[in-house]
Amino acid sequence: MKDFIDDNAIEQLLERTANPEAKRVEEIIAKAKELKGLSLEETAVLLQTEDRELIQEIHAAARAVKEGIYGNRLVIFAPLYISNHCANNCLYCGFRRDNKELNRVALTMEQIASEVEVLEREGHKRLLMLCGEHPKLSSLDYFCEAIETVYGVKTEKGGEIRRINVEIAPLEVDEYRRLKATGIGTYVLFQETYHHATYQRMHPSGPKADYLWRLTSMHRAQEAGIDDVGIGALFGLYDYRFDVLGLLSHAQQLEKDCGVGPHTISIPRLEPAFNAPAAVLPPNPVSDDEFKKLVAILRLAVPYTGMILTTREGPELRGEVFGLGVSQISAGSRTNPGGYQDGSAFRAAQFNLGDTRTLDEVILDIIQRGHIPSFCTACYRLGRTGKDFMDLAKPGLIQKFCRTNGILTFKEYLIDYAGEATRAAGEELIARLIEETRQAGTKKAITSRLARIEEGQRDICL
Ligand code: SAM
Ligand code: SF4
């Protein structure tokens, strides 16, 4: 497959759109509010906007778009690292091969099951499973066996993992077929940076040095039938404006070639990591204001694509960014294999976390900020994936399912796992949400199911 990222074209676009006129910016914001998405050129204009008032307008529009499509729910997940063995040498990552001081671990199936038990007992239902890239010690066979292990772990109170999204190195089409057969949700992989020269510098050796093989992975995954794919860029490696346009180009190419764009876009920012030179001194640091701006612009450019924010960011910034367009967040995370049982993470973590609060603390914070925490996994389990999902999302129908399922799964969490303060605040929120529900049919659907959950039934969804 041909390389579809043209560095010169992106650089020229950014030059052409520098210092945009306020009128042009306002026209683009108005178009974005119609939920039709934005072209590369329109996105570039917003990225080049430096005027404070106009940036506030971009934020306000992003809030309105997020509210209109996703409502105020936030889907919660936890990452599960199973191995930190890696043959690559990414200059920003603690797992890089040349980090000889890292404590290397590949968890056994028993250890993986124990990690999952901890997560289930905290209330998690969704995981993102990941590992380094190593032909033997983080192999596909090992990874597939781990998925089967995780789905098999059941704990008291109906504790179970209902959806595993995965993030592993690029595969061949046949290998993606094997991965799909294990019952994964979304296949996630970040291009890190779309800028070729920077990519080459950051990935000096190992299989990841091949830019094109990585860029085309989502096309191969789609060919293998994995129709929910998630892309991302690691912000801090190159000019954030370039990488936002790279993400958008990638999304457009997938839509053109596969009939559906990415299910999610992740927006990780570089964090300090042990013995990782590019993480200690990021080549192109992205400030908090720039980060908020890029989140808001992505929300306007691809309104129907989920956006994922992780615990790399600190609690305050997370609180601000939730409303700008984020739809999924991780909580209570560890980035060292085995970290949920042993919190010490002694020289085994991939990078440092900005948000180290427990799941329950994050949930309470979310409630207090007026969002609905959701543990819903219904769409993927009912076959609403890929184009089917987008067809539902576009006319706004997803709101109907997502809001109700968010409330129902949140209720399960409150009964089974929440601390006292969270439970009280959560019950109050649910009462308010029921009151605000205007359609009588939906109100009835929610209240009757909530009663069944109180009676002990679990996993009830629309
Ligand atoms: N090893 C596979 C890979 O590189 O695609 C699987 C995912 S890797 C464990 C997860 C992601 O962590 C990487 O794609 C990278 O974007 C991110 N990452 C690595 N080092 C980081 C750092 N110092 N700060 C923030 N994110 C980092
Ligand atoms: Fe390995 Fe992934 Fe870390 Fe690179 S980012 S060193 S591939 S684990």
Side-chain angles (χ1 to χ4, degrees):
M1 216 192 127
K2 254 182 51 204
D3 193 339
F4 50 84
I5 299 292
D6 181 344
D7 288 15
N8 280 335
I10 296 180
E11 301 280 18
Q12 281 168 14
L13 185 55
L14 284 169
E15 266 172 44
R16 247 194 352 262
T17 51
N19 304 316
E21 280 180 18
K23 187 166 163 280
R24 177 82 181 114
V25 176
E26 275 164 357
E27 276 166 14
I28 295 170
I29 295 175
K31 178 186 167 191
K33 284 189 190 158
E34 291 169 23
L35 312 182
K36 291 196 181 122
L38 299 177
S39 68
L40 277 180
E41 166 133 17
E42 290 160 343
T43 307
V45 170
L46 296 192
L47 287 165
Q48 292 290 39
T49 303
E50 298 297 343
D51 181 277
R52 281 178 160 275
E53 277 178 26
L54 287 173
I55 292 175
Q56 288 311 315
E57 283 184 39
I58 293 173
H59 285 192
R63 277 194 204 95
V65 168
K66 145 113 211 239
E67 185 72 21
I69 295 176
Y70 295 90
N72 54 355
R73 101 217 130 89
L74 281 172
V75 172
I76 315 278
F77 71 94
L80 177 64
Y81 283 76
I82 60 168
S83 162
N84 60 9
H85 289 278
C86 194
N88 289 315
N89 227 342
C90 313
L91 296 189
Y92 44 81
C93 179
F95 292 175
R96 59 199 291 265
R97 193 193 58 201
D98 283 358
N99 184 2
K100 304 292 181 211
E101 292 174 297
L102 189 82
N103 289 327
R104 302 278 171 183
V105 202
L107 299 182
T108 62
M109 293 305 137
E110 289 71 28
Q111 287 170 323
I112 291 170
S114 305
E115 287 282 276
V116 176
E117 282 172 10
V118 175
L119 289 165
E120 288 181 1
R121 290 190 175 120
E122 283 169 6
H124 282 288
K125 300 283 186 251
R126 268 178 182 250
L127 299 184
L128 173 68
M129 202 167 99
L130 10 69
C131 65
E133 178 172 10
H134 192 286
K136 292 202 184 85
L137 295 159
S138 310
S139 70
L140 180 63
D141 282 344
Y142 167 71
F143 200 79
C144 289
E145 193 186 344
I147 292 173
E148 207 178 308
T149 301
V150 173
Y151 277 135
V153 177
K154 308 284 173 198
T155 45
E156 61 285 351
K157 301 182 193 165
E160 61 180 356
I161 297 304
R162 298 176 183 160
R163 174 175 180 141
I164 307 174
N165 296 335
V166 304
E167 184 172 346
I168 50 165
L171 299 170
E172 306 272 0
V173 175
D174 279 352
E175 294 175 316
Y176 280 125
R177 286 204 182 95
R178 277 181 56 203
L179 190 62
K180 178 180 161 64
T182 60
I184 61 162
T186 310
Y187 172 62
V188 177
L189 190 70
F190 308 155
Q191 186 62 22
E192 318 295 11
T193 174
Y194 287 88
H195 185 254
H196 288 74
T198 306
Y199 185 93
Q200 242 47 73
R201 227 179 11 261
M202 288 297 140
H203 307 102
S205 61
K208 194 162 166 180
D210 189 341
Y211 177 105
L212 187 59
W213 181 242
R214 195 167 179 94
L215 182 69
T216 50
S217 0
M218 295 309 176
H219 280 75
R220 289 192 300 282
Q222 291 267 5
E223 195 183 329
I226 301 176
D227 55 2
D228 277 354
V229 298
I231 61 175
L234 182 53
F235 286 97
L237 296 180
Y238 191 61
D239 182 343
Y240 76 92
R241 287 165 289 211
F242 185 102
D243 276 323
V244 168
L245 295 177
L247 283 167
L248 190 56
S249 307
H250 198 169
Q252 289 177 346
Q253 195 70 35
L254 282 167
E255 185 137 16
K256 180 164 164 249
D257 298 339
C258 311
V260 61
H263 188 64
T264 55
I265 291 185
S266 296
I267 41 171
R269 235 184 352 171
L270 260 184
E271 289 298 316
F274 174 47
N275 281 347
V280 176
L281 266 185
N284 282 279
V286 177
S287 71
D288 287 357
D289 283 345
E290 288 168 335
F291 188 67
K292 284 186 262 180
K293 178 174 145 188
L294 79 86
V295 171
I297 292 173
L298 273 170
R299 181 67 303 142
L300 299 181
V302 281
Y304 297 100
T305 303
M307 229 193 299
I308 302 180
L309 183 77
T310 69
T311 46
R312 288 172 179 88
E313 304 300 337
E316 269 317 305
L317 185 73
R318 264 161 63 95
E320 286 182 60
V321 177
F322 288 161
L324 290 176
V326 168
S327 55
Q328 292 186 30
I329 63 159
S330 55
S333 310
R334 296 280 179 279
T335 68
N336 57 312
Y340 293 110
Q341 289 174 88
D342 169 12
S344 67
F346 180 66
R347 290 189 169 176
Q350 193 192 17
F351 50 81
N352 299 348
L353 295 170
D355 185 350
T356 53
R357 294 171 299 171
T358 62
L359 173 63
D360 201 57
E361 286 166 340
V362 173
I363 298 273
L364 181 56
D365 182 32
I366 292 175
I367 300 168
Q368 286 165 344
R369 290 176 193 273
H371 303 287
I372 313 171
S374 168
F375 294 86
C376 179
T377 54
C379 280
Y380 130 88
R381 288 156 80 218
L382 296 172
R384 296 193 293 253
T385 61
K387 197 168 175 315
D388 291 347
F389 175 85
M390 286 300 167
D391 288 346
L392 282 171
K394 290 195 176 165
L397 283 177
I398 209 73
Q399 263 270 40
K400 182 179 126 201
F401 296 112
C402 295
R403 184 174 182 275
T404 302
N405 290 339
I407 295 172
L408 299 177
T409 52
F410 178 41
K411 177 77 175 181
E412 287 188 7
Y413 174 83
L414 291 179
I415 295 178
D416 295 335
Y417 306 103
E420 227 172 274
T422 308
R423 187 170 304 146
E427 290 295 355
E428 224 175 89
L429 173 66
I430 291 182
R432 204 167 65 235
L433 291 168
I434 294 171
E435 200 157 312
E436 285 167 5
T437 307
R438 284 200 200 95
Q439 282 169 326
T442 310
K443 203 175 208 165
K444 196 162 159 238
I446 299 174
T447 45
S448 65
R449 283 172 177 77
L450 285 174
R452 281 161 60 195
I453 292 171
E454 274 176 2
E455 282 161 15
Q457 283 190 48
R458 291 292 175 266
D459 202 10
I460 309 169
C461 55
L462 286 187

